[in-house]
């Protein structure tokens, strides 16, 4: 029998892992849901977000928080360059061409970062404001920064759902994601909408990468480490579904953490067991086909 | 100056040539029927007008200005609105949201959504229903309302009666009679000849992507041979 205290500890760790998984999966899901492009470069963009924070802390005034803001903006703008300069030329081609293009960006971005910053790992301290332990109950506590990341994932989820459901922009996004041509026939500027959505998706990758810096050492390989789990989360949740990405991320996070109590290597094993199970039993994903 | 002019228009899907030297002229405030069998090229003609066909050649002018190279949204924003054959309601948006999206996307002065609920009273009780939960007739009404709320100058109706029960076609006829009497130019593509003729002033018959005949509705009613040859129907003359 597993000690209940240990189980609760791992559950909290799982939720914390889930929140970082969600922050990377949500942009991937948004871009796929609207543009129908599987953006392999999403992990690389996430990694760039982390490096923007490191550069800001080391070389510019303002520290961590300015770094997070800059990471969101800079990576969003890199997304705009990728979308307007390259991706928009291949929407009409087969999926393979789109995958190859985004994969090319994985290689280009990862090697560029390696050339500039080297392969060494970088560590960032949590901001002073959040260097405390939050006590949840007798003997159960969570580092303040981890609690903050969990809150941020809830804030991002809430902001996306609210935007999609009640704003004019959200209605246009939902309409266009269900029928691109009909949206164009109504006079909606679909190419511009795609650029905006790609900006938001990439900015979310930048935000996710920036927020993970105090939790994980940062190397140019960071993106490649997280992109696979992000894909697993998005497929389990249902491609293009935000609720799915949210539930999938926390499910995988908890599975990894709690699973590690029972067997070594659970972090590698459990996401894929879950993926196979979902693909066999419910190939459209847990929330596949359900919007927002 | 005609509202819409087609001269020697050719259309292509990839390597297949589907419209052949098509000519067509539509005047302001006219109602024109575009007739032909299933597969004759009616929908493709609309695709050539709206810019959704992969490749088109020839002269396509709207208000004297070429739209042959304009984007789908630019053509839509110039006042041409399509009610597609498949209706293409946004399935996860409610009736109200479908109309709001269209109203907010309109380039000119849109019409009032409440006015749409007056014209299409069946939609009034369905405001919060999702598009995917509507019947075929309700979807058709919403598809027309969605185009109309954008206050179009040229309305393209692609097979509006297809798959609808006769009683709903009657309702639709009444609504469309009201719409065409207003300040809007309409092209109706139909296989339901009687329905199309009852609303239109002139007709074009196309066959295999080519012009087969054009003239007034009175002329067409006297030409049962044409109706049999190109539309496989006999039609009772008034």
């Amino acid at each position: 029998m597993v000690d209940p205290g240990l189980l609760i500890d791992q559950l909290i760790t799982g939720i914390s892992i889930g929140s970082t998984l969600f922050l990377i999966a949500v942009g991937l899901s948004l871009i796929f849901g609207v543009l129908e492009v599987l953006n392999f470069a999403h992990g690389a963009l996430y990694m760039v977000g982390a490096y923007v924070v490191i550069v800001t802390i080391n070389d510019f005034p303002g520290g961590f928080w300015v770094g997070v803001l800059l990471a969101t903006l800079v990576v969003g703008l890199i997304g705009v360059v990728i979308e307007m300069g390259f991706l928009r030329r291949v929407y009409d081609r087969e999926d393979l061409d789109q995958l190859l293009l985004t994969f090319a960006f994985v290689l280009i971005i990862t090697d560029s970062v390696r050339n500039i910053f080297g392969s060494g790992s970088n560590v960032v301290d949590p901001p002073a404001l959040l260097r405390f332990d939050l006590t949840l109950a007798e003997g159960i506590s969570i580092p303040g920064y981890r609690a903050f990341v969990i809150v941020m994932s809830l804030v991002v989820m809430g902001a996306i759902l609210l935007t999609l459901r009640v704003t004019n922009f959200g209605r246009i996004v939902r309409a266009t994601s269900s029928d691109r041509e009909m949206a164009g026939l109504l006079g909606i500027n679909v190419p511009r909408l795609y650029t905006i959505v790609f900006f938001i998706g990439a900015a979310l990758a930048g935000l996710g990468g920036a927020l993970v810096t105090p939790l994980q050492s940062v190397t140019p390989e960071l993106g490649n480490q997280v992109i696979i789990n992000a894909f697993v989360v998005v497929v389990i949740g249902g491609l293009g579904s935000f609720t799915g990405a949210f539930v999938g991320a926390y499910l995988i996070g908890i599975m990894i953490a709690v699973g590690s109590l029972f067997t070594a290597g659970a972090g590698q094993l459990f996401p894929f067991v879950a993926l196979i199970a979902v693909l066999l039993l419910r190939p459209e994903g847990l929330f596949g086909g359900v919007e927002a | 100056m005609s509202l819409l002019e087609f001269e020697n228009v050719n259309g292509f899907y990839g390597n297949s040539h589907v419209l052949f030297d098509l000519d067509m002229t539509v005047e302001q405030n006219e109602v024109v029927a575009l007739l032909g069998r299933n597969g004759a090229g009616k929908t493709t003609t609309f695709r050539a007008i709206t810019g959704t066909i992969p490749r088109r050649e020839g002269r396509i002018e709207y208000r004297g200005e070429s739209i042959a190279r304009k984007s789908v949204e630019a053509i839509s924003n110039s006042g041409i609105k399509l009610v597609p054959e498949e209706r293409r309601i946004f399935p996860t948006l409610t009736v109200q949201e479908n109309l709001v999206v269209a109203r907010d996307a309109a380039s000119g002065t849109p019409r009032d959504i409440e006015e749409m609920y007056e014209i299409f009273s069946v939609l009034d009780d369905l405001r919060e229903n999702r598009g995917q939960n509507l019947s075929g007739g309700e979807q058709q009404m919403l598809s027309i309302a969605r185009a109309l709320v954008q206050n179009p100058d040229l309305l393209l109706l692609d097979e509006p009666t297809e798959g609808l029960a006769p009683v709903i076609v009657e309702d639709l006829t009444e609504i469309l009679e009201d719409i065409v009497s207003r300040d809007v130019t309409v092209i109706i593509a139909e296989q339901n000849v009687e329905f199309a003729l009852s609303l239109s002033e002139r007709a074009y018959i196309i066959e295999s992507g080519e012009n087969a005949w054009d003239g007034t509705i009175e002329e067409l009613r006297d030409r049962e041979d044409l109706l049999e040859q190109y539309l496989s129907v006999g039609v009772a003359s008034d």
Side-chain angles (χ1 to χ4, degrees):
Chain A
M1 197 51 209
V2 180
D3 171 32
L6 197 59
L7 195 65
I8 290 171
D9 266 353
Q10 285 308 94
L11 212 58
I12 291 169
T13 306
I15 290 171
S16 172
I17 295 171
S19 66
T20 60
L21 279 176
F22 174 72
L23 285 171
I24 177 162
V26 64
L28 195 64
S29 191
L30 175 71
I31 289 171
F32 183 83
V34 180
L35 281 69
E36 287 179 24
V37 168
L38 269 181
N39 180 22
F40 262 119
H42 204 72
L45 293 172
Y46 178 88
M47 177 270 290
V48 171
Y51 272 90
V52 171
V53 169
I54 287 160
V55 170
T56 310
I57 288 177
N58 293 342
D59 303 324
F60 293 96
F64 180 78
W65 297 110
V66 171
V68 170
L69 196 68
L70 276 180
T72 310
L73 280 176
V74 167
V75 177
L77 290 176
I78 294 173
V80 170
V81 172
I82 292 176
E83 200 279 335
M84 289 183 77
F86 303 90
L87 210 49
R88 88 166 31 171
R89 292 160 211 277
V90 300
Y91 289 137
D92 294 334
R93 300 214 208 156
E94 27 183 326
D95 296 350
L96 187 62
D97 291 8
Q98 301 174 2
L99 283 182
L100 280 174
L101 181 63
T102 62
F103 186 63
F105 277 104
V106 175
L107 302 179
I108 293 166
I109 293 171
T110 307
D111 274 358
S112 301
V113 170
R114 189 178 290 123
N115 274 329
I116 299 169
F117 300 100
S119 306
S121 69
N122 300 266
V123 184
V124 170
D125 287 329
L129 194 65
L130 295 166
R131 273 178 221 148
F132 60 89
D133 277 350
L134 193 66
T135 307
L136 299 172
E138 182 67 33
I140 300 167
S141 67
I142 177 171
Y145 188 77
R146 283 189 181 273
F148 166 73
V149 174
I150 293 168
V151 169
M152 279 302 288
S153 88
L154 298 175
V155 167
V156 167
M157 177 69 182
I160 286 182
L161 285 187
L162 207 64
T163 305
L164 283 176
R165 290 199 181 149
V166 306
T167 69
N168 195 10
F169 175 74
R171 271 191 299 270
I172 293 174
V173 167
R174 282 190 290 144
T176 308
S177 71
S178 69
D179 192 337
R180 174 190 179 167
E181 188 176 88
M182 193 63 231
L185 284 165
L186 290 176
I188 290 166
N189 190 334
V190 176
R192 194 179 64 194
L193 183 76
Y194 276 21
T195 304
I196 296 171
V197 167
F198 206 89
F199 170 81
I200 296 171
L204 286 169
L207 175 69
L211 290 179
V212 86
T213 48
L215 301 175
Q216 195 172 350
S217 67
V218 176
T219 72
E221 288 302 314
L222 176 67
N224 299 339
Q225 290 159 15
V226 296
I227 189 72
I228 299 298
N229 272 343
F231 271 116
V232 171
V233 162
V234 169
V235 171
I236 285 178
L239 281 164
S241 160
F242 300 105
T243 315
F246 189 77
V247 173
Y250 279 92
L251 207 64
I252 295 295
I254 290 169
M255 275 181 170
I256 290 172
V258 175
S260 71
L261 287 176
F262 300 96
T263 133
Q268 275 73 45
L269 182 66
F270 276 56
F272 291 102
V273 171
L275 176 69
I276 291 168
V278 167
L279 286 178
L280 285 176
L281 301 172
R282 206 178 147 79
E284 71 275 26
L286 297 178
F287 291 82
V290 182
E291 277 280 313
Chain B
M1 181 177 67
S2 306
L3 187 68
L4 180 76
E5 276 183 80
F6 251 50
E7 194 179 66
N8 283 325
V9 173
N10 286 274
F12 305 83
Y13 288 114
N15 289 326
S16 59
H17 192 170
V18 286
L19 292 181
F20 300 88
D21 297 330
L22 207 61
D23 294 328
M24 189 163 67
T25 309
V26 178
E27 305 297 334
Q28 184 96 39
N29 290 340
E30 249 193 327
V31 181
V32 173
L34 184 60
L35 305 174
R37 282 199 193 91
N38 202 4
K42 302 186 295 295
T43 297
T44 310
T45 304
F46 281 173
R47 286 189 162 274
I49 299 172
T50 55
T52 50
I53 192 169
R55 187 154 72 90
R56 57 205 154 134
E57 287 171 2
R59 196 166 69 88
I60 308 175
E61 286 185 4
Y62 178 69
R63 295 189 188 286
E65 201 182 310
S66 174
I67 55 168
R69 292 186 183 280
K70 283 194 174 176
S71 68
V72 177
E73 48 268 22
I75 291 170
S76 171
N77 286 329
S78 70
I80 302 175
K81 302 295 175 180
L82 172 72
V83 177
E85 186 178 2
E86 315 86 345
R87 286 101 195 216
R88 293 170 78 167
I89 296 308
F90 298 118
T92 58
L93 272 62
T94 64
V95 168
Q96 174 76 10
E97 286 177 324
N98 267 278
L99 293 175
V100 170
V101 161
R103 181 197 63 194
D104 293 350
S107 56
T109 313
R111 292 166 74 159
D112 189 19
I113 287 181
E114 290 306 316
E115 188 192 343
M116 295 303 119
Y117 288 126
E118 280 166 30
I119 301 173
F120 302 91
S121 51
V122 61
L123 298 177
D124 199 6
D125 297 331
L126 301 169
R127 291 176 189 226
E128 298 309 315
N129 286 40
R130 284 184 170 216
Q132 63 201 3
N133 299 330
L134 303 181
S135 72
E138 290 157 359
Q139 288 194 1
Q140 186 63 63
M141 301 285 182
L142 179 54
S143 189
I144 298 172
R146 187 178 58 181
L148 211 57
V149 79
Q150 297 200 305
N151 203 2
D153 299 323
L154 174 59
L155 185 63
L156 311 175
L157 297 171
D158 197 355
E159 307 266 3
T161 67
E162 195 188 25
L164 300 185
V167 56
I168 296 171
V169 174
E170 270 175 44
D171 289 350
L172 196 61
T173 310
E174 251 175 59
I175 290 170
L176 289 176
E177 274 169 357
D178 176 46
I179 290 170
V180 301
S181 69
R182 298 171 190 223
D183 194 19
V184 59
T185 311
V186 183
I187 308 178
I188 306 176
E190 261 297 347
Q191 292 192 70
N192 182 343
V193 173
E194 196 44 56
F195 171 82
L197 298 196
S198 72
L199 290 165
S200 316
E201 299 147 38
R202 281 195 310 126
Y204 283 86
I205 299 179
I206 57 174
E207 169 85 354
S208 307
E210 288 182 78
N211 287 85
W213 182 87
D214 66 271
T216 66
I217 298 302
E218 290 74 39
E219 289 170 324
L220 184 57
R221 284 192 187 277
D222 290 337
R223 294 286 305 276
E224 283 198 27
D225 59 311
L226 285 173
L227 295 170
E228 273 168 33
Q229 184 181 351
Y230 293 113
L231 309 163
S232 349
V233 284
V235 68
S237 50
D238 281 357

